[in-house]
Amino acid sequence: MNEGHFDDIRKKVIDSLRHNESLKQFTMKLLDESDTLAAADLSTNANRKKILDDLRKELEDKVLDAACKEAWGVMTTGEDSGAGGGAAGGGDMSLGASSSSSSSIACLIDEKVHEALCVLHEKRAAQADAHAHALAGQQQQLQQLQQQQQHGGWGGGGRQH
């Protein structure tokens, strides 16, 4: 059941996000409208590090939220999720991966979940069969003991006190 399926799905979702032009355009728009970059002084390396930290603080939540919405849409429906915009973007920007790639990811998830459930069902059925077989064996032994007791003891060679 654990054959790397989730790694395959993760890789496909990441590739879908990586090749998503709308997500790239959304990120570029956020960078163009960034207050941090508008007030930036790139003259020294120390300033560059501070600017990168400030950019991360300013844009990280917006970009991750858009990426998460898109990833969810790719995994669940195989369609564009409509993520984007927000307060910083100032607009409603639709993000989307190619429908064939998204659709194949959603189908892959459905297929792998179905396979995992089938394996789980088969294991439980085998456990139930083994339990029923063991129970039948115990019942048979109990019946044999009861018959032996009814017919005069434990096989005729028992001890006498």
Side-chain angles (χ1 to χ4, degrees), residues 41-126:
D41 175 22
L42 299 175
S43 61
T44 66
N45 283 338
N47 283 346
R48 290 181 184 161
K49 181 175 178 5
K50 182 180 182 325
I51 290 169
L52 288 175
D53 288 342
D54 291 346
L55 268 176
R56 183 189 51 80
K57 289 175 188 173
E58 179 185 353
L59 304 179
E60 180 178 41
D61 289 341
K62 296 170 190 167
V63 173
L64 285 178
D65 186 48
C68 286
K69 287 178 183 177
E70 177 59 27
W72 183 252
V74 166
M75 290 186 293
T76 56
T77 64
E79 298 175 1
D80 296 351
S81 64
D92 184 28
M93 185 174 184
S94 178
L95 303 175
S98 68
S99 62
S100 64
S101 172
S102 300
S103 178
S104 68
I105 294 170
C107 290
L108 179 63
I109 291 171
D110 285 346
E111 177 185 320
K112 296 308 175 185
V113 167
H114 178 75
E115 288 175 8
L117 288 173
C118 287
V119 168
L120 183 62
H121 174 74
E122 290 170 1
K123 285 182 180 181
R124 287 183 177 170

